[in-house]
Amino acid sequence: MVNFGKKLMANRVQEWEKYYINYKLMKKQVKQYVQQMEEGAKDRRRVLKEFSRMLDDQIEKTVLFFLEQQGIIANRIQELGEERAILLEHPEISKLSNLREAYIEVGHDLLKLLRFVDMNATGIRKILKKFDKRFGYKFTDYYLSTRSNHPYSQIQQVFKHVGIAAVVGALSRNLVELQEHQGSYLSLYDQPSTAMVVQDPVISLIQASVEKLTRSTNFLKFLGQHALIQEAEGHVDERRYHFVSLLLNLVNTFLYMVNTYIIVPTADDYSMSLGAAATVCGIIIGSMAVAQVFSSVYFSAWSNKSYFRPLVFSSIVLFLGNILYALAYDLDSLAILLIGRLLCGMGSARAVNRRYISDCVPNEIRMKASAGFVSASALGMACGPALAGLLQINFKLYRLTINQDTLPGWVMAFAWLGYLIWLWISFKEPVRDTEVKNSSPVDAGHVDAGALESGLEQPLLKGSEQKQNDDEDEECNASEEGPEESHKPATSIASAYRLLTPSVKVQLLIYFMLKYAMEILLSESSVVTSYYFKWSTGPVAIFLAVLGLTVLPVNAVVGTYISNMFEDRKILLGSEILVLLGILLSFKVTSTYTVPQYVSSALITFVAAEVLEGVNLNLLSQVMSSRLARGTYNGGLLSTEAGTLARVVADATITLAGYLGESRLLNVTLLPSLLICVGSIIATLLTYNTMY
């Protein structure tokens, strides 16, 4: 394997030599800084200032040349366009063919320019990583926090992809119009997307490269990052993808969320029918989350070897758990009911669902699959309470009681049985291919499309969740971590925790806070509304279903509009403040507590928490270590554990607060939410400049 410095020298365009970053100089300077600091000649502040200035100069040199070359290409397209206009009036086959070849040549020059950007981008990533290793200091955090979001940032200017998109659009339109027999359409823009003609290969290569180079903020992108599904290393083998298997994973996600929330409107009534207090509903609801804390780990580990077997096990355990939940009524046993819910939690296969999308879905549709994961979760969250509201039946079937308390268990048991049969018949275990595909050497005089696409999959300053290139710099001495070690996934919760930066820890705290606030709101809703407003199961179910139905519209607005208007960290802080406002408005501070106050404060809290969850996981996916993108103890598992732990603590809080009486339940449970929310806001402000 060739180290990056040698690869840069071998693959650079000779006439552009002086415009590449001077990787060798910067690497040498890093070594000098280490020596000077050891000798006391320079302090850390001065080193950071000097190296920042050097890196700024190198990036500026590269960016300005890129913009210059982009302008030259645009001028060439304009000149060819004038020639095309003349030839279309007086067509000559030979000249039209030559003109088309000229456009294709421009396309190859654009590919060469994109390759230039890719090589420099890789160099910048590597020198930042090398600096961090040598100094044991997160210089990358410092550098990006002061450069990435600055209005004059050279880094950002490269990826304002309007210029490249305009060039690609001009090339595509002109090449299409030069092709013969293109029907009655007057222009490329008049053709519906479903009737697009076959593009020239060079245009397809450029578009594939640009799609990987840019980071769009559309709705699917936002939902995909909401799911915190890590990008698979390289391209997924098409043999691993099976649509029905993906659909089965999404249905598993949907059914599990329905299973989680279908009991919320009736949990208090069920607990009282078994001789317990209404507030024991917190334990009933939370027992599923308790088991999920442990099940997430073994399912994550199991998915390293198989996807089919964990899903089968999950379905069987959930079937049995729901049967026990339903039978607890006739057995008059709270213990059986809790065991049933614990079994349901042990069947949580969300780690498998995430992992399947990450590892087995091709890159071009992975974002849609990730959005489907979030949509399935949201739909299940809404359908659970709504379904509970419809199950208002009371009759005997032999010795079995069928009523609003037991029906959720029976319905979900048969749902999981049907799912298990479908799974057994239709699921296709993906091919396990452990071979690492290395790119062949790229000839200096030609652009290798595969290598280019692979390289451009990473932006200029890569998010931490993305993988390092296969050509990791091997020149490292004893003080540096070798490339294999830097790629090795975390092997335990403790080792995963050590990989977390302060900003990532704060974002996990935020995730804990929002899940805690949402669980308090949802789990105690039946008790609170029954005590203050005398609501029955029906109104509670409708209220919770409406809350669940806000998830997708809110994410659509945030992902499509708000995220394009404000930085993620600004939305993050604003959402935290709104959650705080919702919690404050929820407190009972007067002698009366009205429905408008409760409903409005609940909507503010829930909607703000949903916005906060999406933005927080979006940021988390960008800054989390690449070593947490794979293996058992990955970023998705850590966020799941943080959220599940929050739910466990919240449900335990409800049960404990119940001993103080239902009249005090609301304020007592809201107080921890308030304190955790204030703490997360303070932590956000302290680490604000490292959230990028």
Side-chain angles (χ1 to χ4, degrees), residues 12 26 106 114 141 204-205 234 280 320 341 354 405 423 450 481 512 519 522 548-549 554 576 590 612 690:
R12 64 186 178 183
M26 289 192 290
V106 172
L114 290 173
D141 288 355
S204 299
L205 287 175
V280 174
L320 295 175
R341 287 296 285 179
R354 278 193 176 106
D405 297 332
L423 179 73
E481 183 182 33
F512 179 93
E519 189 71 10
L522 297 174
L549 289 173
V554 167
E576 287 183 272
T590 62
L612 182 59
T690 63

Side-chain angles (χ1 to χ4, degrees), residues 271-452:
S271 63
M272 287 189 293
S273 68
L274 297 178
T279 52
V280 174
C281 69
I283 292 294
I284 296 173
I285 297 170
S287 56
M288 195 167 175
V290 171
Q292 191 179 343
V293 171
F294 304 99
S295 67
S296 296
V297 177
Y298 69 72
F299 272 117
S300 182
W302 203 349
S303 64
N304 291 326
K305 299 179 180 179
S306 173
Y307 301 100
F308 175 67
R309 288 192 291 272
L311 290 176
V312 169
F313 177 77
S314 165
S315 305
I316 294 173
V317 170
L318 281 157
F319 170 75
L320 295 175
N322 282 289
I323 291 290
L324 290 179
Y325 181 85
L327 290 175
Y329 190 93
D330 291 303
L331 296 174
D332 194 24
S333 172
L334 182 62
I336 295 295
L337 183 144
L338 292 176
I339 291 172
R341 287 296 285 179
L342 284 169
L343 280 176
C344 289
M346 295 300 290
S348 172
R350 287 171 65 82
V352 180
N353 306 145
R354 278 193 176 106
R355 188 69 176 273
Y356 184 88
I357 295 174
S358 174
D359 292 352
C360 304
V361 176
N363 297 20
E364 57 269 20
I365 63 170
R366 187 179 300 137
M367 195 54 66
K368 292 182 180 179
S370 302
F373 177 85
V374 175
S375 301
S377 298
L379 190 60
M381 185 178 182
C383 288
L387 187 59
L390 297 175
L391 302 179
Q392 303 299 301
I393 302 172
N394 194 347
F395 65 93
K396 279 274 190 179
L397 184 63
Y398 297 104
R399 295 183 179 181
L400 298 177
T401 302
I402 308 297
N403 59 21
Q404 65 174 12
D405 297 332
T406 62
L407 259 178
W410 292 119
V411 168
M412 292 312 304
F414 283 108
W416 284 112
L417 180 61
Y419 174 81
L420 177 60
I421 295 171
W422 182 23
L423 179 73
W424 193 272
I425 295 171
S426 303
F427 191 88
K428 181 180 178 182
E429 185 74 78
V431 176
R432 291 279 171 175
D433 186 5
T434 58
E435 295 181 2
V436 179
K437 297 181 179 180
N438 295 318
S439 299
S440 58
V442 182
D443 182 67
H446 301 279
V447 177
D448 181 73
L452 178 63

Side-chain angles (χ1 to χ4, degrees), residues 48-251:
L48 292 177
K49 185 176 180 180
E50 290 184 4
F51 191 69
S52 296
R53 186 184 297 114
M54 174 183 286
L55 198 52
D56 289 340
D57 292 340
Q58 294 290 324
I59 293 173
E60 183 177 271
K61 173 183 67 175
T62 298
V63 168
L64 293 178
F65 177 74
F66 168 72
L67 295 176
E68 178 188 356
Q69 291 300 310
Q70 184 175 284
I72 292 173
I73 290 174
N75 286 334
R76 288 171 61 189
I77 293 175
Q78 184 178 5
E79 292 171 359
L80 291 174
E82 295 171 357
E83 184 178 344
R84 179 187 59 83
I86 296 172
L87 283 175
L88 289 179
E89 292 180 2
H90 307 285
E92 293 184 30
I93 299 300
S94 61
K95 289 186 177 181
L96 285 174
S97 179
N98 291 337
L99 182 61
R100 187 170 183 276
E101 290 300 321
Y103 274 116
I104 293 175
E105 183 181 350
V106 172
H108 282 292
D109 286 344
L110 179 56
L111 273 173
K112 185 170 69 172
L113 183 60
L114 290 173
R115 182 164 175 261
F116 166 83
V117 176
D118 174 51
M119 292 298 292
N120 285 285
T122 304
I124 292 168
R125 285 199 306 271
K126 289 183 179 296
I127 200 65
L128 285 169
K129 181 180 178 182
K130 186 175 290 292
F131 192 96
D132 286 352
K133 286 181 180 178
R134 288 298 190 104
F135 288 88
Y137 176 75
K138 289 296 181 181
F139 174 74
T140 302
D141 288 355
Y142 162 77
Y143 188 81
L144 290 180
S145 66
T146 55
R147 266 73 171 174
S148 292
N149 296 308
H150 195 281
Y152 302 131
S153 170
Q154 299 288 352
I155 296 174
Q156 293 296 335
Q157 286 185 41
V158 177
F159 296 101
K160 298 296 183 180
H161 61 284
V162 176
I164 294 178
V167 172
V168 174
L171 276 172
S172 301
R173 184 178 68 86
N174 285 294
L175 281 171
V176 167
E177 292 184 2
L178 285 172
Q179 292 182 23
E180 298 178 352
H181 310 298
Q182 290 303 318
S184 60
Y185 294 111
L186 298 176
S187 170
L188 172 70
Y189 304 123
D190 299 318
Q191 301 187 41
S193 59
T194 55
M196 288 290 286
V197 296
V198 177
Q199 300 183 52
D200 190 279
V202 71
I203 298 300
S204 299
L205 287 175
I206 292 171
Q207 289 180 336
S209 299
V210 171
E211 286 174 5
K212 290 179 173 64
L213 191 65
T214 56
R215 297 177 64 86
S216 60
T217 53
N218 56 38
F219 180 37
L220 289 181
K221 180 79 171 179
F222 185 82
L223 282 184
Q225 290 174 322
H226 191 156
L228 199 63
I229 291 172
Q230 304 291 342
E231 293 291 318
E233 186 170 2
H235 294 277
V236 172
D237 190 333
E238 293 291 341
R239 294 174 299 173
R240 305 193 72 188
Y241 174 61
H242 183 231
F243 174 74
V244 176
S245 298
L246 171 62
L247 184 60
L248 282 162
N249 273 278
L250 297 180
V251 172

